[in-house]
Amino acid sequence: MKEVKAYLKNDLNHYLAQCNRHRSDLLADKVDHLTTLAKERTTEGIAYAENLTLATGKAIQACSDKSQTILTKVYLQKELNKQVMVEMGYGSTRYFELKHIALCEFAKNFEMYLKKYGIN
């Protein structure tokens, strides 16, 4: 799970910058409107970053409502865990259980979308 957290907290920023996207582009109501450049009009690195960030947004979108809320607020909107916990009305133990479930859901969905977009 550490790798998933590290990707969402740190590595995602690099890929978003590389393809000129923002975390808000990955929100559930916007991710379906993302476009990718034609391969002949871009570099391999930018195309990879576009597909990786699209897979990230789609993977979050495919999560259950509670998981989607946690992932969106913590990793896309950069809210603190404590703030999200209070907003959702959960105690610490239950919130972190739900966050773990959300990260597991994301990892499963992300793997599926990586395959779908041909990313190894």
Side-chain angles (χ1 to χ4, degrees), residues 23-79:
R23 286 176 181 271
S24 64
D25 295 330
L26 305 183
L27 296 173
D29 61 335
K30 294 182 181 178
V31 75
D32 289 329
H33 304 291
L34 285 177
T35 58
T36 55
L37 294 172
K39 288 188 179 192
E40 59 275 355
R41 297 191 62 204
T42 189
T43 67
E44 190 175 311
I46 292 172
Y48 177 81
E50 285 181 336
N51 286 327
L52 192 66
T53 57
L54 180 59
T56 301
K58 290 288 196 177
I60 291 172
Q61 184 185 47
C63 289
S64 66
D65 288 343
K66 285 180 186 175
S67 293
Q68 193 177 117
T69 298
I70 291 169
L71 295 168
T72 298
K73 289 183 177 288
V74 173
Y75 297 107
L76 299 182
Q77 297 173 336
K78 298 284 197 165
E79 291 184 26

